[in-house]
Amino acid sequence: MAAATTSPQASTATSPGAPPRLSLQRETIAADTTAIRSLDWDRSRFDIEFGLRNGTTYNSFLVRGERTALIDTSHLKFESTWLPLLREQIDPKAIDCLIVSHTEPDHSGLIGHLIDLNPEIEIVASKVAIQFLEDQVHRPFRSRAVKSGEQLDLGTNPDSGVQHRFEFLSAPNLHWPDTIFSFDHGTGILYTCDAFGLHYCSDDLFDVDPGAIAPDFRFYYECLMGPNARSVLQAMKRMDALPAIHTIAVGHGPLLRHHLGLWLDDYRSWSSERSTGETYAAVCYVSQYGFCDRLSQAIAHGIDKAGAQVQLVDLRATDAQELTALVGEASAVVVPTWPAQADADLQASIGTLLAALKPKQWVACYDAFGGNDQPIDTVAGQLRALGQKSAFEPLRIRQVPNTGDYQRCEEAGTDLGQLLTKAKTIAAIKALDGDLDKALGRLSGGLYVVTAHQGEGADARSGAMVASWVSQASFDPPGITVAVAKDRAIEALMQVGDRFVINILREDNHQELLRHFLRRFPPGADRFAGVSTLEGMAAGGPVLGDALAFLGCRVAQRLEGPDHWIIYAVVEQGNVSDTQAHTAVHHRKVGNHY
Ligand SMILES: Cc1cc2nc3c(=O)[nH]c(=O)nc-3n(C[C@H](O)[C@H](O)[C@H](O)COP(=O)(O)O)c2cc1C
């Protein structure tokens, strides 16, 4: 199917103070197969940067052959309802095995409870997942580690006559390092947990309305799977070797059945687009250590925003051969501080990583804030031992990371991404036909500074950018569009529902402001230092003291263009400081610059 072109729209809302709505759904989806979906209608955030518009679901599945398997559990918040519903289906003692697709707490939150109810249950998962679970559940349990190609035969259900034979596919990084997919040869259902999922809560069990869910499907891909595009293609290659897949039973959102080919085509084409070039950045992290995974995702997201390719690499779970290839072939390598007392396996991985570095690579590092890390300057020194260039200053994190730290990581990632895409960007600018370029340059606009501010105290984040691609776009309600380059730092603050301010600059007093806001700011810098602002004038961001007028706006829609987001916003408030003055106008000569 064609790529969805808009980001998700706001649809559900709870009145302030009301408890979040949680409910459960149980349905038969194939022979001897029951889906138990935990519906989390009001969840509004997931991971860094991931604003949810339509809640989410956590899906688990019960499959009965001669023996019975449960696939994943639920979020701990469903403890009081999910376990009783499971009990209505089956005595937990009669569940022979629990297949754990990966160990992220929204799917594994009730595993400990299940082990208490049935200490004999066998946990079937990847080797890494079993190691993670030992640290998570703090109880002894029986386990079986499985790899790609291994099988689990539940035998034939005596009523249906269907044999449920599972085949496992390893799918590292989708989106956790320990992920496995499970394919039931009896029903043709592939269980993929996070991969192919979407955060979308509705009563629809299946993908009956593709138009409604496509924007969320795309958004989810971009946030979680895009930075792992190479791993997506590897996993899809393994899927190609399976017999016909009838349904993809995802861990979040509706199950994919009616339009399966379209969703698979989307994943394949989006991932191929992101994996075609030779250059990519390897962003390393140590799973389950400090804040490494979230920080690495913020850096990866920033790199991705700049249109550069990125590969997340778990130093704990990637074997030496793969690590050497991933690091050696990368154009840039980003590394966290690692534990001063790393275990032997991790030490060996770090040795492999350092040995695989090449002199011409960009390198950078960030604090994992794990408690007892190697000093970041030591790590930075080791990374540059062969004369490598530093892509950004070491990201020092001195406390439990807050919103500002994640913003700094994302902006540093974008700076790195821009280094990798520089040549491509220059080539694209030069490629414009001369006459067309001049003609396009006759389009003119005003001069504005877009500002945005969100959160308070440690969670505060803000941004600003000079803009001239601003235009009124509706009378009723009053609305405007602004084209925001995909790699702009402020783009993260202009999601649907977010507020921002357009400061309209004066013809007779704009040079100073332009000079200030067009400087290159280091990641996370306060862009308003030294600028006069009027606090409390507008809801979404600072109003500049020297602006001629301001417009307080709320983002209603985002249309995805090739290199810019076209952001349509409703104007909620506005004021003019001097009715006699004129707006600064920007005349250009060519269309390949602003
Ligand atoms: C005259 C002028 C107009 C601009 N208009 C836009 C615009 O409409 N949209 C945009 O994304 N960037 C625009 N830019 C570029 C950004 O203002 C500038 O590069 C940005 O603030 C720096 O990027 P960063 O905030 O991501 O670090 C313009 C730049 C100039 C000089």
Side-chain angles (χ1 to χ4, degrees), residues 447 465-469 483-485 487-489 518 527 564 586 594:
L447 279 169
M465 73 158 196
V466 170
S468 58
W469 293 5
V484 180
D487 58 351
R488 289 278 163 268
L518 286 172
R527 297 187 183 214
H564 283 66
H586 182 48
Y594 288 107

Side-chain angles (χ1 to χ4, degrees), residues 49-72:
E49 301 304 347
F50 205 154
L52 306 190
R53 313 292 171 194
N54 296 303
T56 192
T57 75
Y58 320 103
N59 307 336
S60 56
F61 306 92
L62 196 59
V63 183
R64 300 166 206 244
E66 238 172 280
R67 302 193 305 139
T68 298
L70 180 68
I71 302 167
D72 295 320

